[in-house]
């Protein structure tokens, strides 16, 4: 299926690989810096993916050979008045929220620079696959702001409060081996293999029940930070949403008949 492009400049695209959707950042002249137009395109693409029931997993990728995404477009920011920056804020926030709230499992395929808002886009995904060239970090305090694409909330949930504080307060950039050791990325792969490995992982995920995947993600995301009893009640509600579904019937039948399931997705 040909790529579907978003925005007047076409800087964001969707390419479908069966039940896996690849969400592609393609603003090479700016290393995928998130301008207002880039943010709008990401938000539009995420709306498209969220509404597509055939999608079971999403992989966020970059076409730039040396960068995943370098974060906010500081050249554009430098030209904005305070009023214009305030008007821009909900539009950029919609891009990060769009990735974060995708209802299916998401994987970021990271190589090169993933800094500031670029790393926050990766943090908005459920899993991060990075190759040996990756450099990640949240350097926003070094330019007078704070991580505003979810970083102050998502990074502590990933690596703990103290580790996140050190990384945010020092604004330091973390190379791939240390990033993997600290849990800033989940899987470290050979140079140039981040996209292929992420797509392969997504394909394995997509072989499972579409209803089950959505319900499991919903339970994990909404349950994080809740007390155990409340979290278990939330999990019970997610279980009930799939326990009497066609997917459950087909999954159990396929297991007993020793065949691959044909998920109805309902």
């Amino acid at each position: 299926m040909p790529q579907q492009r978003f925005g007047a400049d076409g800087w964001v695209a969707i390419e479908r690989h069966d039940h896996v959707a690849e969400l592609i950042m393609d603003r090479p002249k700016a290393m995928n810096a998130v301008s207002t137009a880039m943010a709008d395109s990401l938000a539009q693409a995420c709306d498209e993916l969220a509404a597509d029931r055939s999608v079971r997993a999403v992989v966020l990728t970059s076409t730039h050979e040396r960068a995943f995404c370098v974060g906010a477009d500081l050249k554009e920011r430098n030209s904005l008045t305070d009023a214009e920056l305030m008007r821009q804020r909900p539009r950029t926030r919609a891009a990060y929220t769009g990735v974060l709230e995708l209802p299916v499992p998401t994987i970021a395929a990271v190589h090169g620079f993933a800094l500031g808002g670029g790393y926050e886009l990766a943090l908005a995904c459920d899993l991060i696959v990075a190759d040996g060239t990756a450099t990640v970090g949240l350097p926003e305090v070094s330019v007078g702001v704070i991580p505003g694409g979810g970083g102050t909330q998502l990074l502590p949930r990933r690596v703990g409060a103290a580790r996140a504080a050190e990384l945010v307060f020092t604004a330091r950039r973390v190379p791939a081996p240390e990033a993997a050791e600290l849990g800033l990325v989940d899987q470290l792969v050979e140079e140039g293999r981040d996209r292929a490995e992420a797509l392969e992982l997504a394909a394995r995920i997509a072989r499972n029940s579409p209803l089950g995947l959505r319900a499991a993600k919903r339970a994990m995301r909404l349950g994080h930070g809740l007390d155990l009893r409340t979290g278990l009640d939330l999990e019970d509600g997610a279980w009930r949403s799939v326990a009497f579904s066609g997917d459950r019937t087909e999954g159990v039948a396929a297991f007993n008949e020793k065949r691959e399931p044909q998920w109805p997705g309902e």
Side-chain angles (χ1 to χ4, degrees):
M1 180 180 293
Q3 287 184 354
Q4 181 181 4
R5 295 212 161 244
F6 295 84
D9 299 297
W11 288 333
V12 174
I14 292 173
E15 186 170 323
R16 287 172 169 79
H17 310 267
D18 198 7
H19 292 293
V20 174
E22 183 179 2
L23 179 57
I24 305 164
M25 295 182 288
D26 187 24
R27 194 188 176 199
K29 290 184 178 180
M31 290 185 166
N32 294 326
V34 182
S35 63
T36 308
M38 179 78 165
D40 288 343
S41 298
L42 277 167
Q44 292 165 15
C46 287
D47 286 344
E48 172 80 14
L49 291 172
D52 188 345
R53 297 292 298 187
S54 71
V55 174
R56 300 180 189 172
V58 172
V59 178
L60 179 61
T61 68
S62 162
T63 61
H64 197 285
E65 62 181 14
R66 293 190 296 111
F68 175 73
C69 172
V70 294
D73 187 334
L74 296 184
K75 290 184 179 179
E76 180 189 59
R77 289 279 179 92
N78 193 48
S79 70
L80 298 179
T81 65
D82 288 352
E84 289 170 335
L85 183 60
M86 283 297 293
R87 288 194 294 271
Q88 184 208 45
R89 174 60 177 167
R91 295 167 70 180
T92 54
R93 189 175 179 187
Y96 298 102
T97 303
V99 176
L100 182 65
E101 294 185 349
L102 284 170
V104 297
T106 52
I107 305 167
V110 175
H111 61 267
F113 297 113
L115 300 173
Y119 184 48
E120 288 175 300
L121 286 171
L123 286 172
C125 296
D126 299 300
L127 298 166
I128 303 174
V129 174
D131 81 355
T133 70
T135 298
V136 305
L138 297 175
E140 284 89 344
V141 297
S142 70
V143 293
V145 290
I146 71 166
T152 66
Q153 304 305 305
L154 295 171
L155 189 59
R157 285 167 166 77
R158 173 174 273 273
V159 299
R163 179 68 68 194
E166 184 264 321
L167 293 166
V168 171
F169 296 160
T170 63
R172 72 184 180 94
R173 301 179 178 193
V174 183
E178 184 184 2
E181 181 180 345
L182 297 179
L184 300 176
V185 303
D186 301 301
Q187 185 176 340
L188 188 60
V189 300
E190 293 181 7
E191 182 174 338
R193 290 285 302 169
D194 55 293
R195 176 179 177 270
E197 295 284 353
L199 285 170
E200 182 179 328
L201 175 57
R204 294 203 303 273
I205 290 171
R207 287 198 287 267
N208 295 306
S209 158
L211 290 188
L213 290 171
R214 288 170 180 256
K217 175 165 180 171
R218 186 168 66 251
M220 288 189 288
R221 279 293 176 95
L222 296 180
H224 191 96
L226 298 178
D227 65 89
L228 180 59
R229 181 176 294 276
T230 304
L232 289 173
D233 286 343
L234 188 150
E235 179 187 75
D236 183 65
W239 177 86
R240 290 173 186 275
S241 74
V242 296
F244 310 102
S245 68
D247 272 15
R248 195 274 304 174
T249 300
E250 169 62 11
V252 172
F255 176 84
N256 283 287
E257 295 166 13
K258 297 181 173 55
R259 59 173 175 80
E260 291 295 318
Q262 301 298 313
W263 303 114
E266 59 184 23

